[in-house]
Amino acid sequence: MNTILYATTVFIWGSTWLAIAYQIGDTPVIVSVAWRFALASIALFAILLFRNGLPKLTAKNHKVAVLLALCLFSNNFLCFYYATQYLPSGLNAVVFSLAPILNALNLWILEKRRPSRVFLQGSLLGFSGVVLLFASQVMKTEMDWNILHGLMLSLLGTYLFSMGNMVSVRAQSEEMPLLPTTAWAMGYGSIYLVVIALVSGISLSVTASPMYLSALIYLAVIGSVVGFNTYLALVGRIGASKAAYCTVLFPLIALTLSTMFEGYEWTWLSVLGVIFVITGNVRVFGVPERVRFWYHAFRTKLEFN
């Protein structure tokens, strides 16, 4: 089950970065993010009502939902969307892949849980791969303030995401219901952004182009409803540090899509970065059981032949 959740999260979230890029344009960022999570919240509430009815949450659970809204379903995505104005979608995903390192640091600082040597080694490899991927882009572009601005925004969004992980781990350890909490959190995040937009005099209307609307629906339903809940379920099963390490694989999907649709150009540095990312992931999680089975079966077949 963990493998299914892991793979689903990687492929869904790896594809959302390109969809975010398609939303950058005439519609203000805060409006795009607000509509994304408004639709996602409505979809989740509809699923809950269809399945078993909407369970009542305690006041403490609603407080957790508000914290999740601020960290996972509003402010962090404002940072990511604005960063996409300055960085390619694949590079934005590369920065986001630093989340497991921030998770480990937060667990160390907040809960005195020192990361294992294996995790540190894998994280170092993954981080080195991220640096190489970023360097491959910087070497082709003049390092101006816009790129630095985008990098800082993406890092801030990643840190907020990491803090949301800490909140989710605590909530699930206290057996708070995952889907209802997420539905309320997305709703709170949307309301928070709508209030800011209205106070700022920003219209809530969106671009009616097919590309924008299809990206909005994909991000709301697949990226948010499915992607976030598979990820948060994974956090509850294997912990924030290991779950967030799947973000290290997001750039592989995002960069592939960026190559196909945004003209991302590969260099020897970016190829080496991908190798480091994969190696670090294997170091943290080990070789998957299914891969080991196939390897031993292949070796046995060779020995008998």
Side-chain angles (χ1 to χ4, degrees):
M1 186 62 180
N2 289 345
T3 301
I4 295 175
L5 291 172
Y6 184 82
T8 301
T9 304
V10 167
F11 281 101
I12 288 177
W13 280 11
S15 63
T16 58
W17 300 97
L18 183 63
I20 287 174
Y22 287 149
Q23 285 205 297
I24 302 301
D26 296 333
T27 303
V29 165
I30 192 170
V31 175
S32 293
V33 181
W35 274 109
R36 171 180 177 174
F37 289 114
L39 294 176
S41 178
I42 292 171
L44 263 183
F45 278 124
I47 292 172
L48 289 168
L49 288 171
F50 178 78
R51 287 172 56 186
N52 301 310
L54 186 62
K56 293 183 179 180
L57 301 184
T58 64
K60 183 178 181 180
N61 208 155
H62 278 285
K63 290 179 182 178
V64 169
V66 170
L67 290 176
L68 288 175
L70 296 176
C71 294
L72 291 182
F73 305 122
S74 60
N75 292 314
N76 62 323
F77 274 97
L78 288 180
C79 293
F80 292 136
Y81 274 62
Y82 280 119
T84 305
Q85 295 178 339
Y86 308 107
L87 301 175
S89 63
L91 187 55
N92 205 9
V94 165
V95 177
F96 183 57
S97 69
L98 298 177
I101 297 176
L102 296 179
N103 277 359
L105 290 175
N106 281 330
L107 286 172
W108 193 357
I109 294 170
L110 299 176
E111 300 185 12
K112 310 302 180 184
R113 292 167 55 181
R114 186 183 182 89
S116 68
R117 179 180 299 179
V118 170
F119 180 83
L120 290 174
Q121 291 171 350
S123 295
L124 180 60
L125 283 169
F127 178 79
S128 299
V130 168
V131 171
L132 290 173
L133 284 164
F134 184 74
S136 70
Q137 286 294 297
V138 173
M139 288 176 64
K140 294 186 298 184
T141 309
E142 182 181 353
M143 187 62 178
D144 58 20
W145 283 107
N146 284 335
I147 294 177
L148 185 60
H149 188 195
L151 176 61
M152 293 299 103
L153 284 170
S154 193
L155 285 171
L156 177 58
T158 304
Y159 182 76
L160 289 170
F161 172 82
S162 176
M163 292 303 297
N165 283 190
M166 301 301 103
V167 175
S168 180
V169 168
R170 180 64 61 86
Q172 292 190 59
S173 68
E174 296 178 2
E175 298 184 350
M176 293 184 180
L178 176 62
L179 288 181
T181 302
T182 304
W184 279 105
M186 288 180 173
Y188 287 142
S190 176
I191 293 171
Y192 163 73
L193 294 174
V194 166
V195 170
I196 294 177
L198 292 176
V199 170
S200 302
I202 299 174
S203 171
L204 298 180
S205 61
V206 300
T207 303
S209 68
M211 181 65 74
Y212 179 91
L213 294 177
S214 60
L216 175 61
I217 294 172
Y218 180 81
L219 289 168
V221 178
I222 305 299
S224 300
V225 175
V226 179
F228 264 106
N229 282 288
T230 56
Y231 176 76
L232 293 177
L234 195 62
V235 168
R237 294 172 71 94
I238 66 176
S241 295
K242 286 189 174 182
Y245 203 87
C246 68
T247 61
V248 173
L249 290 181
F250 292 171
L252 306 185
I253 307 299
L255 289 172
T256 299
L257 294 174
S258 185
T259 300
M260 297 170 61
F261 298 102
E262 294 181 313
Y264 177 83
E265 297 180 5
W266 289 83
T267 67
W268 68 270
L269 277 177
S270 58
V271 172
L272 188 60
V274 168
I275 294 173
F276 272 46
V277 165
I278 294 175
T279 304
N281 195 59
V282 171
R283 180 58 179 156
V284 169
F285 287 101
V287 179
E289 184 66 32
R290 178 61 60 180
V291 174
R292 288 201 299 268
F293 173 79
W294 288 337
Y295 173 73
H296 289 305
F298 178 72
R299 285 195 59 182
T300 301
K301 184 177 180 180
L302 287 179
E303 290 173 359
F304 277 102
N305 290 339

